[in-house]
Amino acid sequence: MIPIHNFDFLLGKWSVLNKRLNERLNNCNDWTEFTAFMETKTILNGLAFMDEMKTTYFGEEFIGLSIRMVDPKTNNWTIYWADTANPASKIKEQVSGTFKDGVGEFYGKETFENKEMQLRFLWKKETPETAQWEQAYFDETTKQWETNWTMLFTKSE
């Protein structure tokens, strides 16, 4: 089985600048910025990547865990998530998708304010030392994607 290398650019240690929209789906243009630290490693002989992101922005230490697994026959990735803010919840599947022309597009659903929302993640390598992630909800009113969270990753080692 040949490992897929789409997420190889995320391997290592990163400083992460988060920008989170203050109000989602409410015509808001105000963002909150905070920093985090993340380390990514490959697991399962290259069929998956795992990272932990840590920040103290939310008051106490917050840790988020992502696992990205690929189906080597289809090159389709599924991204799973768990965090310390919801320790009783199980690891959940968030999105799935593929890379095209260096950009990963991943789609799923998420509950926001008791409503199921269409969810999109975009992943891309910016430079050898930077990468970017973007999360958006599909706004049924405007029929457009509203970006509500971005992360700029800068290599820290």
Side-chain angles (χ1 to χ4, degrees):
M1 200 171 325
I2 299 172
I4 308 299
H5 298 282
N6 297 126
F7 275 109
D8 282 4
F9 68 88
L10 266 186
L11 291 171
K13 296 180 180 181
W14 300 86
S15 174
V16 185
L17 176 60
N18 288 266
K19 294 182 181 181
R20 190 169 76 173
L21 192 61
N22 290 343
E23 295 181 48
R24 295 178 183 177
L25 303 173
N26 198 22
N27 250 354
C28 181
N29 292 313
D30 298 320
W31 296 78
T32 297
E33 293 185 9
F34 62 96
T35 58
F37 173 80
M38 185 178 86
E39 184 171 4
T40 304
K41 61 183 180 178
T42 185
I43 58 176
L44 299 173
N45 288 330
L47 293 176
F49 290 77
M50 181 177 77
D51 61 57
E52 273 193 327
M53 183 171 302
K54 298 178 180 182
T55 185
T56 56
Y57 173 75
F58 299 103
E60 54 188 64
E61 186 174 52
F62 172 88
I63 302 171
L65 170 75
S66 292
I67 297 175
R68 298 170 188 86
M69 295 185 69
V70 68
D71 178 338
K73 293 177 183 165
T74 63
N75 201 22
N76 190 70
W77 289 87
T78 302
I79 301 176
Y80 301 87
W81 175 257
D83 62 62
T84 55
N86 302 294
S89 67
K90 297 178 179 165
I91 193 164
K92 64 179 180 178
E93 181 178 326
Q94 276 194 307
V95 293
S96 63
T98 60
F99 278 81
K100 183 179 178 185
D101 300 325
V103 177
E105 287 190 36
F106 306 88
Y107 296 90
K109 294 183 190 255
E110 181 170 87
T111 301
F112 174 70
E113 295 183 348
N114 298 315
K115 184 178 177 187
E116 188 173 76
M117 305 298 300
Q118 292 182 58
L119 175 67
R120 180 186 72 192
F121 287 2
L122 297 178
W123 273 104
K124 62 182 171 178
K125 177 182 176 181
E126 297 274 303
T127 71
E129 301 298 315
T130 62
Q132 187 166 336
W133 171 85
E134 175 183 300
Q135 173 180 286
Y137 286 160
F138 187 74
D139 186 339
E140 290 292 338
T141 305
T142 65
K143 303 296 183 199
Q144 295 182 21
W145 289 98
E146 178 191 76
T147 300
N148 57 51
W149 200 317
T150 65
M151 288 189 243
L152 178 59
F153 296 80
T154 304
K155 282 272 190 192
S156 62
E157 284 187 24

